[in-house]
Amino acid sequence: MVPVSSNNSNARTRPSIPKAKQPAIGWVLISRAEVAKAEALLNDRQRGVVDELGLLSIHQAFADRLFPGTSVLHTRLRYALFVPWLMQTAAKAANPIQKLEQLEFELTGRLKLGLSKAASEDDTGVIGARVYEKGKPAAQPASFSYWSALATWGILGRDHKYAAPSRESVLEELGSERKTGSAVDLDGQSLSTGPTYFQGLPAPPAALLEDPKGVTFNLPAHERQYLRNRLRSIKAPTLEDETPRESFLAALARNTVKPLEKTELWDDAAVCACVPNEDKDLIDLARHISALGGIVRAVYLAYVEQACDDKKLLASRVHRDHLIQCRTDWGAEAMKADLEKLVAERLGLEHNKLYKLLEATQAWLATSAALPKASVRKQYADLELNRKQGRARLSGKAGASQQLRRWARSGERASTAGRLHFRWPSVSRLIRDLHE
């Protein structure tokens, strides 16, 4: 979860981090940068790739600017209510942390049951569905993956320092409220001096986890209105001297637009019509850097495949052939990517090795060469080595052959390069849930 500035909860400058109480199972306050790194790593693992070259810093910056609080781990919008409801219940137990894990596991089962009875839906989007039958909880439960969203979207509430609290501290506070009751003074004001969490939250359905019909992601009208109000209030991340303004995510909530499925955000006219004026230039920029990022990733994989071929580790042209297709499909857009604007807008790029690599790749796109020249390959190898050290594949140093061998034998090599998506597949699903 991400601590925020007292001046602006979406400020793009790095805030100070208050000391966190050391919890029993390791729930601690971490910085915005650390959350970004963690999300990038989780995103990588889900897609079967590793961010060898640092492109996900650009992905993260665009996504945070346009869709504050969102994550690639978000699946369905109603989890933003499930988590608070389960925490309120768990706080009543002697061991609330253990109880929360149990309740989240039970929710997985109830969702699988409810969705199995719904003709129009399957269990896609149910967190932990794959491991439920093995009796195992989700590796990243909703109370983890939605925590930053609950804070950013104003569902959680803030403590007296305007910092997003840890889940442990919220469970502790909710438990304290249960024990002390809701004492008030002569004017009817609460005597509690602690922070109030989940204020105004809709009441959970009766017998949420006992309904024989199970649970679904469908939002009743009052839940939908609550979430719409919360999302409509989200401000775009701004610098400390900038005037707070509406975020793109808030505009999507305010308008009743239903994003098209399996469509890039810049190809959906109804979605683009909702972009706030201040962000309109970012959409074309996102389209172009998305294409360039995809091609850079394709070039890297083509180099790795070629290195494996040279060492007789693999007889395949999947990635080299895919690069040809990527260049055909995305090359014109990639050449339009304005790198200087990315730097000026603080969108995950600086004047560094990644900048030079992107620039060199654009120059190669203007030629007819099948792969960039040797000097550009060295840039790819040096940048990977700088990031991965002994795990680098293209460096030619000791251990590189072993890394190539591992790649050739792993399932990872089957994953071809894709464009940067800036969390749009997840965000579009959340918005469809809100408006359907």
Side-chain angles (χ1 to χ4, degrees), residues 105-226:
F105 180 77
E106 291 179 14
L107 176 64
T108 299
R110 305 311 292 178
L111 282 166
K112 286 174 68 67
L113 174 62
L115 295 173
S116 71
K117 296 177 181 296
S120 60
E121 295 201 61
D122 56 26
D123 65 3
T124 301
V126 177
I127 295 173
R130 291 183 180 179
V131 296
Y132 177 79
E133 300 301 336
K134 299 177 182 179
K136 297 180 179 179
Q140 279 83 38
S143 61
F144 170 83
S145 56
Y146 280 75
W147 194 250
S148 179
L150 296 181
T152 303
W153 299 350
I155 296 172
L156 174 61
R158 303 285 177 178
D159 66 17
H160 294 314
K161 296 180 181 178
Y162 296 91
S166 70
R167 285 159 291 186
E168 186 208 34
S169 65
V170 171
L171 286 169
E172 183 178 340
E173 181 63 30
L174 291 173
S176 297
E177 290 177 2
R178 175 184 64 84
K179 293 174 184 177
T180 59
S182 52
V184 297
D185 61 18
L186 294 176
D187 296 321
Q189 300 298 312
S190 173
L191 293 175
S192 171
T193 58
T196 301
Y197 299 120
F198 305 134
Q199 198 166 28
L201 187 75
L208 175 64
L209 298 182
E210 285 82 34
D211 190 332
K213 296 180 181 179
V215 183
T216 72
F217 291 119
N218 294 332
L219 290 165
H222 68 290
E223 293 178 17
R224 189 186 310 277
Q225 188 58 49
Y226 171 80

Side-chain angles (χ1 to χ4, degrees), residues 10 152-154 228-235 247 250 253:
N10 285 318
T152 303
W153 299 350
R228 181 179 290 120
N229 290 342
R230 296 270 52 82
L231 292 176
R232 286 168 58 176
S233 68
I234 300 171
K235 301 300 181 184
S247 67

Side-chain angles (χ1 to χ4, degrees), residues 89-393:
T89 300
K92 301 173 185 178
N95 188 332
I97 294 174
Q98 186 177 53
K99 184 64 174 179
L100 179 59
E101 181 178 294
Q102 175 194 330
L103 292 174
E104 291 193 273
F105 180 77
E106 291 179 14
L107 176 64
T108 299
R110 305 311 292 178
L111 282 166
K112 286 174 68 67
L113 174 62
L115 295 173
S116 71
K117 296 177 181 296
S120 60
E121 295 201 61
D122 56 26
D123 65 3
T124 301
V126 177
I127 295 173
R130 291 183 180 179
V131 296
Y132 177 79
E133 300 301 336
K134 299 177 182 179
K136 297 180 179 179
Q140 279 83 38
S143 61
F144 170 83
S145 56
Y146 280 75
W147 194 250
S148 179
L150 296 181
T152 303
W153 299 350
I155 296 172
L156 174 61
R158 303 285 177 178
D159 66 17
H160 294 314
K161 296 180 181 178
Y162 296 91
S166 70
R167 285 159 291 186
E168 186 208 34
S169 65
V170 171
L171 286 169
E172 183 178 340
E173 181 63 30
L174 291 173
S176 297
E177 290 177 2
R178 175 184 64 84
K179 293 174 184 177
T180 59
S182 52
V184 297
D185 61 18
L186 294 176
D187 296 321
Q189 300 298 312
S190 173
L191 293 175
S192 171
T193 58
T196 301
Y197 299 120
F198 305 134
Q199 198 166 28
L201 187 75
L208 175 64
L209 298 182
E210 285 82 34
D211 190 332
K213 296 180 181 179
V215 183
T216 72
F217 291 119
N218 294 332
L219 290 165
H222 68 290
E223 293 178 17
R224 189 186 310 277
Q225 188 58 49
Y226 171 80
L227 289 171
R228 181 179 290 120
N229 290 342
R230 296 270 52 82
L231 292 176
R232 286 168 58 176
S233 68
I234 300 171
K235 301 300 181 184
T238 54
L239 299 176
E240 292 183 348
D241 59 346
E242 292 178 333
T243 303
R245 59 179 180 80
E246 183 182 49
S247 67
F248 186 18
L249 182 61
L252 290 171
R254 178 171 51 80
N255 294 280
T256 54
V257 61
K258 295 181 182 178
L260 299 174
E261 295 187 40
K262 299 179 181 179
T263 303
E264 303 285 4
L265 71 91
W266 42 79
D267 291 329
D268 190 329
V271 166
C272 289
C274 299
V275 180
N277 290 332
E278 297 88 344
D279 291 332
K280 286 190 181 298
D281 289 348
L282 297 187
I283 303 305
D284 276 342
L285 185 59
R287 176 200 293 266
H288 299 154
I289 195 61
S290 167
L292 181 57
I295 288 177
V296 165
R297 173 70 184 160
V299 170
Y300 170 80
L301 290 173
Y303 278 142
V304 171
E305 184 181 69
Q306 185 177 60
C308 287
D309 195 354
D310 292 344
K311 293 181 177 294
K312 310 300 183 186
L313 299 173
L314 183 68
S316 170
R317 287 197 55 87
V318 170
H319 293 287
R320 282 168 285 184
D321 291 342
H322 184 64
L323 173 60
I324 294 171
Q325 191 62 50
C326 291
R327 186 175 184 178
T328 300
D329 294 343
W330 311 333
E333 291 179 339
M335 291 177 67
K336 295 178 182 178
D338 188 339
L339 304 184
E340 278 301 317
K341 188 166 186 178
L342 261 72
V343 174
E345 292 285 345
R346 304 185 186 187
L347 288 168
L349 185 64
E350 300 175 359
H351 290 113
N352 53 18
K353 290 183 178 180
L354 177 58
Y355 183 103
K356 293 178 180 178
L357 182 142
L358 293 171
E359 195 173 43
T361 303
Q362 285 183 310
W364 162 71
L365 287 170
T367 73
S368 58
L371 278 171
K373 57 188 179 180
S375 60
V376 178
R377 186 192 186 284
K378 186 176 186 306
Q379 286 181 265
Y380 275 75
D382 288 348
L383 184 52
E384 183 199 23
L385 180 63
N386 185 60
R387 291 181 57 79
K388 296 176 62 180
Q389 301 299 317
R391 295 178 294 110
R393 300 174 182 131

